[in-house]
Amino acid sequence: MPDPLLDKLSGELTPEGHKLPVRIYFEDTDFSGVVYHARYLHFFERGRSDFLRLKGVHHNKLQEGVYGEPLFFVVKGMTLDFVQAARIDDVVHVTTKIESIKGVRVLMKQIIERENQLIATAEVSVVMINEKGRPKRLPEALTQALT
């Protein structure tokens, strides 16, 4: 049975993709109250994970082999651009959208904004692999779920 509170924690699907609110806590910042640069990777990861979750793609189900064999998403590459700083107590929004799906690769674009001010961007290349670490084409049902 769906849990409305848990659904809210995962953000929301939008016509463009997915939007996740994230509050900036003390643990996310350096001594000056500015978000430490590596923490943005965590925020982007949460956005991608919750996007997949709301699309019905669960990492544990992939691992269990629901598409014929155990499958895993791994980040192949990422390009980041830091535009301005987020600070302690800010609420930022992580937007995630799929740019393309080709064979084993999913290209995603992500942005972090605070009140419509751009904070950071990421272009993320994710590939699907099997449990032996070999690239695998996304199953058609999975491609359909993501588009």
Side-chain angles (χ1 to χ4, degrees):
M1 179 172 197
D3 182 333
L5 177 59
L6 291 179
D7 289 344
K8 285 185 179 188
L9 291 175
S10 296
E12 65 178 326
L13 292 175
T14 67
E16 297 81 35
H18 177 260
K19 193 169 191 176
L20 176 70
V22 175
R23 180 173 302 282
I24 306 300
Y25 293 101
F26 182 76
E27 68 183 14
D28 300 318
T29 65
D30 62 17
F31 65 93
S32 69
V34 170
V35 171
Y36 179 65
H37 71 280
R39 295 299 290 172
Y40 291 101
L41 295 173
H42 296 248
F43 305 152
F44 285 130
E45 175 64 32
R46 290 179 203 164
R48 290 191 308 276
S49 293
D50 282 333
F51 171 67
L52 291 174
R53 183 177 293 110
L54 290 179
K55 285 287 201 169
V57 179
H58 300 272
H59 290 291
N60 58 348
K61 296 294 182 192
L62 288 172
Q63 186 175 358
E64 291 170 5
V66 297
Y67 295 101
E69 68 176 305
L71 297 170
F72 310 88
F73 282 116
V74 294
V75 173
K76 181 183 182 306
M78 181 182 288
T79 303
L80 301 171
D81 186 30
F82 302 104
V83 178
Q84 62 179 300
R87 298 181 179 280
I88 193 166
D89 289 332
D90 282 352
V91 175
V92 298
H93 288 90
V94 181
T95 301
T96 303
K97 68 178 186 173
I98 292 182
E99 289 288 298
S100 64
I101 299 175
K102 294 180 184 170
V104 302
R105 185 177 77 120
V106 178
L107 181 61
M108 296 181 176
K109 288 227 176 183
Q110 294 186 277
I111 62 170
I112 295 177
E113 294 176 297
R114 176 189 56 233
E115 298 176 359
N116 295 318
Q117 295 178 348
L118 185 61
I119 302 293
T121 64
E123 187 171 288
V124 186
S125 177
V126 178
V127 296
M128 177 147 279
I129 62 170
N130 65 14
E131 61 188 340
K132 293 180 181 175
R134 292 196 173 100
K136 296 295 289 187
R137 179 176 290 277
L138 269 72
E140 183 60 32
L142 187 54
T143 300
Q144 290 301 318
L146 294 177
T147 56

